[in-house]
Amino acid sequence: MINIELLVIGGGPAGLSAGIAAGKCGVKTIVVDENPLPGGQLFKQIHKFFGSKEHKAGTRGYKIGEQLLNEVDQDGVEVYLNTRVWGIFDNNIVGILKDGKTQKVKAQKIILATGASENAIAFKGSTLPGIMTAGAAQTFINVHRVLPGKKILMIGTGNVGLITSYQLMQAGAEVVGVVEASQNVGGYDVHANKLRRAGIPIYLGHTVIEAKGDIEVDGAIIAPVDEKFKVDKSKSFLIDCDTICFAVGLTPRIELAQMVNAPIIYMSTLGGYLPIHDNRLKITEDIFIAGDISGVEEASTAMEEGSLAGVAVAMELGKLDKNKGVKEIEEIYKRLAKLRSGQFGSKRASAKEEIIKKQMEMKGGFK
Amino acid sequence: MRIKHHPILGEITEKKIVVIYVDGKKIEAIEGEPIAAALLAAGIRIFRKTIKTAEPRGLYCGIGQCNDCIMEVNGVSNVRTCVTLVEDGMVVKTQVGKGKGGDLDDKY
Ligand SMILES: Cc1cc2nc3c(=O)[nH]c(=O)nc-3n(C[C@H](O)[C@H](O)[C@H](O)COP(=O)(O)OP(=O)(O)OC[C@H]3O[C@@H](n4cnc5c(N)ncnc54)[C@H](O)[C@@H]3O)c2cc1C
């Protein structure tokens, strides 16, 4: 059995930032990730990030991943790759699968930074080969450098759908259209305008009702939907394509939190069911969360939350002076407030406040 | 299709080319890439047939979460081809249902 002070599960922006923050304070930390490459979703992001300098704006996603990795290394944090956590048991015993073997890790504190998984929608033919998540397409073009198809139809105009469409074009695919059930584009206008300038049609108020093809996709039937999402099949038409991508939202990966019986809450603005946490991202006596698992946001917020959880753990383990820690957390909250402002951000800010309020109302504190 | 030139990522760098056998057919692959990448590059998108209705399935999530891309690899069933890396001479087969190779559990 491996004994460690802090085990961080997930090596995306949240997990790596948590490792860095805790490692800096001298907390003996291991970060595990099931992938051969750390960085979580960052490794497929080849575009420059928005926001402010302190959140690495202007830097391409995968470069941010590399920077975080370097820092983790310098802080003496161990990173186990190809290592999947399959369970958390009593007394903070964690089951990991590494090199094909199961091992036990006993950790004084645990941070769950497992991210989110991509949503799907169902229609006739929606399981045909050639239909995949936008993230799959993005991973294969940007990391493995293989096109998933030649003529691509994207479903969803959130930032993931818009950015992935543009990147598919950059990679040499033809994007035949982007379909969006709502009457408005979900993501930032800058991203949508890039597609519009390239002449890619964005079908607002439409959805895919059927994928054509016997053994692989060779077309999609789309139809208009009204404000109440009622489909008008009489106005449906066929779009020629060999690939359909889903960019229809993310759901927090909360299985491990459920395994430790953390109370769960439903928050639609944050992606669905997620563990209730306090203002230090704590969900049980020894377990913390950070990043998309605590509500789907962005890489910048995931990094801040990771730092917050790392600092909170260092304080609890007595590796960081209480006053200093409290100050650092205040600073992190100031930066988070900036990130959680504006049209989309303010909704996330109030959802986050609601969760913390719920936690304070819970009787008996942490288990 | 491989993306040889890319406006941001640049040219594809020199990689070691190996061969793998897919349902008996020899295809070129790059050592260390996921099996699924080699298959897509060769234009193969049907990876398995489902257990009850033999419906075709292929790459879906691309990061090892969903298990839709599983195939028989070197005689082992249920191998996630999106996260299992190519080695020279690998034998890959379309998986039908649970496959014939037994599970990973039998091996370890
Ligand atoms: C396709 C896609 C594109 C996106 N594009 C952007 C973008 O351009 N900009 C942006 O700001 N945000 C983007 N996001 C949002 C993104 O989710 C966040 O920015 C950020 O990656 C969240 O960080 P995280 O560390 O919480 O999770 P992740 O980056 O998802 O990292 C979590 C890691 O934990 C690992 N893990 C999970 N469970 C286990 C387990 N049991 N054992 C071991 N390892 C485990 C996962 O494999 C993963 O590597 C995108 C998301 C997706 C899906």
Side-chain angles (χ1 to χ4, degrees):
Chain A
M1 187 155 73
I2 301 164
N3 275 288
I4 193 76
E5 286 174 342
L6 169 63
L7 179 70
V8 181
I9 304 173
L16 291 176
S17 302
I20 292 166
K24 276 204 165 66
C25 302
V27 178
K28 288 203 175 57
T29 305
I30 297 175
V31 179
V32 297
D33 196 289
E34 64 195 343
N35 294 293
L37 281 176
Q41 310 295 340
L42 283 178
F43 261 91
K44 49 189 175 230
Q45 312 305 339
I46 57 168
H47 53 282
K48 292 181 178 164
F49 277 50
F50 294 158
S52 58
K53 257 259 151 53
E54 61 209 6
H55 295 112
K56 306 187 193 274
T59 310
R60 298 190 192 278
Y62 68 103
K63 294 269 178 204
I64 301 177
E66 285 168 8
Q67 288 172 9
L68 291 175
L69 261 186
N70 275 335
E71 272 189 66
V72 165
D73 234 29
Q74 279 161 20
D75 293 329
V77 172
E78 268 189 276
V79 180
Y80 291 179
L81 298 175
N82 294 311
T83 304
R84 170 172 258 190
V85 169
W86 55 268
I88 303 180
F89 304 93
D90 287 348
N91 305 315
N92 300 346
I93 307 261
V94 179
I96 67 173
L97 184 66
K98 186 171 185 280
D99 306 322
K101 274 191 226 92
T102 273
Q103 293 178 46
K104 282 191 262 183
V105 177
K106 187 171 167 54
Q108 287 175 40
K109 302 283 172 190
I110 298 167
I111 297 175
L112 307 178
T114 48
S117 56
E118 296 182 82
N119 300 339
I121 56 172
F123 45 79
K124 192 175 172 206
S126 63
T127 55
L128 281 172
I131 300 184
M132 64 191 71
T133 66
Q138 206 183 31
T139 305
F140 274 69
I141 56 172
N142 294 343
V143 183
H144 310 314
R145 297 193 57 157
V146 180
L147 282 172
K150 294 195 182 92
K151 289 183 153 196
I152 308 200
L153 181 69
M154 181 66 63
I155 307 180
T157 59
N159 284 322
V160 171
L162 298 174
I163 292 173
T164 306
S165 296
Y166 191 72
Q167 292 177 351
L168 279 159
M169 261 176 49
Q170 286 181 315
E174 183 191 346
V175 178
V176 295
V178 186
V179 178
E180 167 61 58
S182 136
Q183 305 295 330
N184 307 300
V185 165
Y188 295 125
D189 279 334
V190 257
H191 295 314
N193 290 339
K194 274 184 174 177
L195 297 179
R196 291 195 176 107
R197 279 198 297 274
I200 295 174
I202 298 180
Y203 299 98
L204 294 178
H206 280 76
T207 191
V208 173
I209 56 171
E210 184 178 343
K212 286 285 186 192
D214 293 333
I215 49 169
E216 286 183 51
V217 180
D218 59 24
I221 296 180
I222 81 167
V225 284
D226 64 16
E227 278 88 359
K228 289 183 185 127
F229 294 102
K230 204 171 167 295
V231 180
D232 183 357
K233 282 193 183 159
S234 70
K235 294 206 179 85
S236 68
F237 57 98
L238 178 75
I239 292 185
D240 182 27
C241 63
D242 63 17
T243 302
I244 301 173
C245 293
F246 292 136
V248 291
L250 304 175
T251 300
R253 289 179 78 181
I254 62 168
E255 297 88 339
L256 293 173
Q258 287 173 307
M259 221 172 168
V260 296
N261 292 324
I264 306 291
I265 189 171
Y266 186 85
M267 287 278 158
S268 61
T269 38
L270 293 171
Y273 291 98
L274 44 99
I276 296 179
H277 59 74
D278 72 0
N279 61 2
R280 294 193 181 166
L281 300 177
K282 194 167 159 152
I283 61 165
T284 70
E285 193 50 49
D286 293 322
I287 304 184
F288 296 72
I289 55 176
D292 278 356
I293 181 182
S294 81
V296 174
E297 297 188 83
E298 292 171 345
S300 47
T301 43
M303 288 187 273
E304 293 294 358
E305 284 205 341
S307 309
L308 202 165
V311 166
V313 164
M315 281 164 75
E316 285 201 8
L317 291 175
K319 302 265 172 152
L320 177 65
D321 174 73
K322 283 254 151 66
N323 294 327
K324 241 176 119 182
V326 168
K327 268 225 176 71
E328 273 190 43
I329 288 175
E330 270 172 21
E331 291 302 315
I332 293 172
Y333 265 112
K334 276 187 204 153
R335 294 196 295 268
L336 276 171
K338 271 197 236 161
L339 292 170
R340 290 174 182 150
S341 60
Q343 186 192 351
F344 301 112
S346 55
K347 284 191 194 141
R348 290 188 269 116
S350 43
K352 279 282 181 183
E353 273 163 29
E354 205 181 316
I355 294 171
I356 293 168
K357 215 172 113 220
K358 265 262 152 45
Q359 198 283 326
M360 289 196 298
E361 286 163 9
M362 279 186 337
K363 290 198 183 80
F366 292 108
K367 277 181 286 183
Chain B
M1 213 168 55
R2 292 202 187 275
I3 304 160
K4 298 219 174 76
H5 318 283
H6 194 287
I8 289 166
L9 299 170
E11 303 297 299
I12 222 165
T13 44
E14 276 296 302
K15 295 262 166 66
K16 191 175 165 203
I17 307 285
V18 296
V19 293
I20 62 174
Y21 300 87
V22 184
D23 292 333
K25 209 176 113 208
K26 200 164 150 178
I27 69 165
E28 274 190 357
I30 294 173
E31 192 174 58
E33 73 181 344
I35 296 167
L39 296 178
L40 290 187
I44 301 168
R45 298 209 299 180
I46 300 166
F47 293 3
R48 71 178 178 103
K49 302 255 168 81
T50 57
I51 190 162
K52 285 187 183 150
T53 48
E55 287 172 53
R57 292 284 191 276
L59 178 73
Y60 180 72
C61 82
I63 49 172
Q65 291 182 9
C66 79
N67 294 291
D68 232 13
C69 68
I70 53 175
M71 297 178 85
E72 286 182 50
V73 177
N74 289 343
V76 180
S77 301
N78 303 327
V79 174
R80 295 173 299 164
T81 55
C82 71
V83 290
T84 305
L85 308 183
V86 161
E87 290 163 19
D88 193 19
M90 247 176 183
V91 177
V92 180
K93 282 191 187 141
T94 301
Q95 179 165 324
V96 181
K98 288 181 177 173
K100 295 194 192 112
D103 238 326
L104 261 185
D105 294 346
D106 306 338
K107 256 205 143 176
Y108 293 108

